[in-house]
Amino acid sequence: MLVTNQRLDKLAALRTMFVDKGMLPPSHDTKTSVAIDGSDDEDDDGGAIDEVVTGSVVLARRPAQGYESDLSGLADQLDQPDLPLLVRRYLFDQLHPESPYEAEALPVHALPIVRGTISVFHSALATFYAPSDKSGHRGMYRERIRSNPNWHNTGPRRDCVLVVEDENKVGFSGMSVVRVELFFSFKYNDTSYPCALVHWFNKAMRHPDPDTGLWIVKPDLRGRQELPYLSVVHIDCILRAAHLIPVFGRKPVPKPFSHTHSLDAFTAFFVNKYIDHHAHELFTL
């Protein structure tokens, strides 16, 4: 096995040399290459890649099975009654980006109707430039973002991500944290829309916590019933995964306590910028 690994490393190095010298195209695929289009096994959490790509987020290649294919049926199945309305608002914003009207302010009959097939996915792959972390020789890294109702039979896993809201603002000032409740896609007028149903988090302060240097966020809950504020966003808005640490109170965490309920059990979270070099660079801009 050691000899095999050595030979594979030598072949990968030879391929890299050929690409650098222009003897092979950058997109040349080999058995040692790692797919970046979501076609790999979803048990793979990601890692360093050598392909020449721009930062992007793509849905897994294979849709999940067992879901309703129409929007209304899917909303009933997932107990998300507002999903059809949120998708219609999202589609209006996509079709009319220059509209002076906000989709939330428009009556329902003014919104486009989605009649196509809905495909649900349990994960997406984020690819970004992170040369300071363990990455490919071109500085690219990828990670898998999951939104799975029963991950490895341990309960639901709904990862949090960073969403870019204003590219003109530096660091976390132009971003927000959201929790991915659902990855899905649909077609409208022969155009595919990969998107995500997300639960928003609000910044607790206008600046990081002075004691820890970390930003604090709180789940956006509205109304008397404090229901999660949800919306649908295009996956192009997603930058990468976000790691949240609960802001613990004075009382100890009760036992037994499952980690799958952490994002629901606490009212505030630190956004961990020390999870890796790339995250630290983002939050220190």
Side-chain angles (χ1 to χ4, degrees):
M1 184 177 293
L2 292 176
V3 174
T4 300
N5 290 337
Q6 290 175 359
R7 290 174 177 173
L8 289 175
D9 290 340
K10 291 179 180 179
L11 287 173
L14 184 63
R15 169 183 169 274
T16 300
M17 184 186 72
F18 285 162
V19 170
D20 291 340
K21 292 182 177 297
M23 300 170 66
L24 284 176
S27 59
H28 182 70
D29 191 18
T30 68
K31 292 183 180 180
T32 58
S33 297
V34 179
I36 60 171
D37 60 352
S39 61
D40 53 328
D41 191 345
E42 289 195 13
D43 285 336
D44 178 17
D45 287 326
I49 61 171
D50 291 334
E51 282 77 3
V52 179
V53 294
T54 57
S56 64
V57 178
V58 295
L59 297 174
R61 184 182 64 175
R62 293 180 295 274
Q65 303 299 313
Y67 290 93
E68 297 290 336
S69 60
D70 64 287
L71 193 55
S72 298
L74 181 63
D76 293 338
Q77 183 182 11
L78 300 179
D79 194 24
Q80 293 284 358
D82 293 333
L83 181 60
L85 176 60
L86 297 177
V87 173
R88 293 176 68 179
R89 288 175 175 172
Y90 157 81
L91 184 56
F92 177 86
D93 290 335
Q94 293 293 311
L95 298 176
H96 308 284
E98 303 298 330
S99 174
Y101 304 103
E102 294 185 2
E104 291 188 4
L106 295 175
V108 177
H109 64 79
L111 302 174
I113 299 176
V114 178
R115 304 185 186 276
T117 300
I118 307 296
S119 299
V120 174
F121 301 83
H122 284 170
S123 68
L125 278 175
T127 305
F128 47 88
Y129 183 67
S132 54
D133 291 290
K134 183 180 180 181
S135 59
H137 66 276
R138 289 183 174 85
M140 301 304 298
Y141 184 83
R142 65 167 196 171
E143 64 183 0
R144 188 173 294 276
I145 303 166
R146 302 181 188 277
S147 182
N148 193 315
N150 191 15
W151 187 63
H152 287 196
N153 295 319
T154 61
R157 174 174 172 176
R158 312 290 185 187
D159 288 349
C160 292
V161 298
L162 296 175
V163 169
V164 179
E165 295 187 276
D166 191 344
E167 295 182 348
N168 296 321
K169 294 183 179 180
V170 297
F172 192 56
S173 299
M175 294 183 284
S176 289
V177 173
V178 300
R179 184 182 183 184
V180 181
E181 301 292 338
L182 180 71
F183 283 120
F184 65 102
S185 68
F186 64 92
K187 281 190 176 183
Y188 184 84
N189 289 342
D190 295 327
T191 300
S192 180
Y193 292 92
C195 43
L197 175 69
V198 300
H199 174 201
W200 290 81
F201 286 68
N202 294 327
K203 297 181 179 70
M205 299 179 290
R206 294 183 179 180
H207 49 77
D209 174 58
D211 295 327
T212 63
L214 302 177
W215 286 88
I216 299 177
V217 295
K218 296 182 177 181
D220 191 345
L221 305 174
R222 302 189 181 186
R224 293 182 178 180
Q225 297 179 332
E226 293 190 338
L227 297 177
Y229 177 66
L230 304 175
S231 71
V232 175
V233 300
H234 199 287
I235 63 170
D236 285 348
C237 299
I238 298 175
L239 177 61
R240 56 156 296 167
H243 183 246
L244 303 187
I245 304 174
V247 177
F248 296 95
R250 296 182 178 180
K251 296 181 179 180
V253 176
K255 295 182 180 181
F257 182 83
S258 173
H259 66 279
T260 59
H261 303 303
S262 296
L263 292 174
D264 300 310
F266 296 90
T267 59
F269 302 86
F270 294 109
V271 185
N272 186 9
K273 67 177 181 180
Y274 300 112
I275 189 67
D276 55 47
H277 290 285
H278 182 256
H280 187 267
E281 292 168 352
L282 284 177
F283 287 95
T284 53
L285 289 175

